[in-house]
Amino acid sequence: MTRTIDILVSGGGIAGLSAAAVFGARGFSVLCVDPAPPVRKMEDSGADLRSTAFLQPARDLLEAAGLWDRLAPHATPLQVMRIVEAGRGAPISRDFDAADLGPLPFGWNLPNWLLRREMAARIADMDRVEFRAGTGFAGLTAREDRALVRLTDGSRVAAKLVVAADGRSSAVREACGIEVRTRRYGQKALAFAVTHERPHDNVSIEIHRSGGPFTLVPLPDHEGKPSSAVIWMEPGREAERLAALPVSDFDIEATARSERALGRLHLVTGRQSWPIIMQTARTLTARRVALVAEAAHVMPPIGAQGLNTSLADVACLVDLAAARPEALGDAAMLDIYARRRAGDIALREHGIDALNRIAMAGGPLAQGLRGFGLGMMHDIVPLRRRLMRLGLGAGR
């Protein structure tokens, strides 16, 4: 028997679960599949120790799907982005405050493992949406009016639209024969969470030296102590050395790299690492298939742009589907999706690539230029506000 639905979402990460919930809230029937088992707590095998900062436009999307009410109690506001150039001499620091733009913070930060748990719980309450953890995509035959999808549990689904949200090594993208362009930086990122001596006061701190940024993003208190998520980018061999250190030694090095911005740091989770790349699919669509999130684009983790660009993909796709539900997944809809998203994705990729290359650079000249640029971006008020709006996705 082949089950007939409107949409098959391949991938049960943050983007895939968001897409399933948003499409379901618009009245579409949705099946979301992911080969990994469900994650319910931080200690579970496969738990994602990264965190996600949802910027203002992303929260609007989550609210429309009925997700935000579940997430808000766990979210930490990001009111200030503090950027520090610590390459030479006394550190240069500038604060970018969301109050310059209005009453809302820049965004809200949540641990990824908790996001997946809460999103799956919301989907379990939705009549027309199913999340099937432990089952993945196995193959696809696209026809003019639908896609026939084979799943790893042996079942088959006929869907008008397949949404590929299955990551940088997307099986759906590969099945469609879509190639990617990949740029490698020789870096790796370490993701972990820490407690620290001083409260973060809802300030996200990005510290630049060389090799890549060290970023502290506020989290709720952990066992009564102030806590932050950390993304630490370094050349690959250095990242591997850091990942292998005993916890006590790692605490010392992380504290030093943080410029003691929040006092002494103490590791409270495992350490995950992954290679930093820029990867772009050569096309965002195939017959009856739309690529979103890291199946479509992978960016270095700078400025909270990756996942928020992914949710912009989802928002665009959902708006097109809701405007003409009778044409769900047809060639005209997918052509419009590809045209609308290509420019924004390219803009953000170019910006993040430039920022990462600048952040990697060592030597007095590069460090001096970073300090000068930071001062200019902050101290020229119209430029500062323009850049903050751009970072939120409010303009180009």
Side-chain angles (χ1 to χ4, degrees):
M1 295 290 291
T2 298
R3 178 181 172 187
T4 299
I5 57 173
D6 292 324
I7 298 162
L8 185 284
V9 178
S10 178
I14 309 305
L17 292 173
S18 298
V22 175
F23 275 113
R26 294 291 188 100
F28 296 98
S29 58
V30 186
L31 173 62
C32 178
V33 298
D34 190 280
V39 172
R40 295 186 175 89
K41 55 185 185 292
M42 184 174 65
E43 295 77 17
D44 283 353
S45 175
D48 187 345
L49 300 181
R50 295 173 295 176
S51 68
T52 291
F54 290 105
L55 303 181
Q56 292 175 18
R59 190 191 72 159
D60 295 341
L61 181 72
L62 299 177
E63 281 185 328
L67 288 167
W68 188 247
D69 287 345
R70 295 196 68 98
L71 300 178
H74 308 284
T76 305
L78 305 178
Q79 182 63 36
V80 173
M81 167 66 81
R82 178 171 299 151
I83 301 179
V84 181
E85 170 50 46
R88 61 172 188 166
I92 299 169
S93 176
R94 293 291 189 277
D95 284 2
F96 295 79
D97 194 329
D100 279 0
L101 302 181
L104 294 176
F106 287 122
W108 298 263
N109 196 47
L110 296 101
N112 282 10
W113 66 266
L114 186 145
L115 280 167
R116 292 185 65 188
R117 184 192 73 190
E118 294 302 312
M119 288 180 168
R122 162 59 180 157
I123 286 172
D125 292 336
M126 301 180 76
D127 293 336
R128 294 174 61 79
V129 186
E130 178 189 352
F131 174 42
R132 197 180 297 175
T135 297
F137 169 89
L140 174 148
T141 302
R143 296 181 177 174
E144 187 64 31
D145 62 339
R146 57 183 172 165
L148 302 177
V149 182
R150 301 181 301 281
L151 303 177
T152 56
D153 63 0
S155 63
R156 295 174 181 268
V157 174
K160 295 178 182 177
L161 173 66
V162 175
V163 177
D166 49 351
R168 62 178 65 186
S169 300
S170 168
V172 176
R173 187 187 64 221
E174 184 174 338
C176 293
I178 299 173
E179 296 181 347
V180 296
R181 297 185 296 270
T182 303
R183 180 178 300 159
R184 303 186 185 279
Y185 297 92
Q187 296 167 292
K188 287 188 174 180
L190 292 176
F192 52 94
V194 297
T195 55
H196 35 80
E197 292 179 303
R198 293 193 290 274
H200 50 60
D201 295 325
N202 298 334
V203 177
S204 179
I205 307 173
E206 187 172 286
I207 301 163
H208 294 263
R209 202 159 65 194
S210 63
F214 181 101
T215 306
L216 293 139
V217 189
L219 288 173
D221 287 357
H222 177 80
E223 297 180 350
K225 297 179 181 179
S227 180
S228 294
V230 179
I231 297 292
W232 186 355
M233 294 167 60
E234 290 285 358
R237 288 185 179 178
E238 174 64 4
E240 291 170 2
R241 182 189 72 82
L242 292 166
L245 287 175
V247 170
S248 58
D249 293 340
F250 185 81
D251 287 351
I252 292 169
E253 298 226 18
T255 298
R257 183 63 180 82
S258 74
E259 298 290 318
R260 302 186 69 89
L262 296 173
R264 285 177 294 186
L265 306 184
H266 175 61
L267 183 70
V268 294
T269 67
R271 287 161 277 184
Q272 291 179 333
S273 69
W274 72 96
I276 298 302
I277 62 172
M278 183 78 74
Q279 180 173 284
T280 311
R282 292 188 178 274
T283 178
L284 296 177
T285 63
R287 178 181 281 188
R288 293 285 159 182
V289 175
L291 309 187
V292 302
E294 288 201 341
H297 46 76
V298 180
M299 305 177 194
I302 295 175
Q305 294 301 302
L307 194 277
N308 288 277
T309 304
S310 301
L311 293 185
D313 299 340
V314 172
C316 178
L317 204 56
V318 170
D319 286 346
L320 291 170
R324 294 178 60 239
E326 73 283 358
L328 178 66
D330 72 6
M333 173 190 163
L334 294 176
D335 285 347
I336 295 170
Y337 168 71
R339 289 199 304 272
R340 288 187 181 178
R341 292 303 302 141
D344 183 59
I345 292 168
L347 174 73
R348 295 185 186 283
E349 285 181 334
H350 289 315
I352 293 299
D353 175 66
L355 288 172
N356 191 41
R357 290 181 183 278
I358 292 168
M360 289 172 63
L365 178 59
Q367 293 160 0
L369 287 173
R370 282 201 301 264
F372 173 77
L374 173 60
M376 185 175 66
M377 287 189 297
H378 177 274
D379 299 344
I380 301 175
V381 176
L383 177 60
R384 180 176 77 231
R385 291 176 177 166
R386 175 70 171 167
L387 290 171
M388 287 194 295
R389 290 192 185 96
L390 180 63
L392 289 175
R396 296 188 181 183

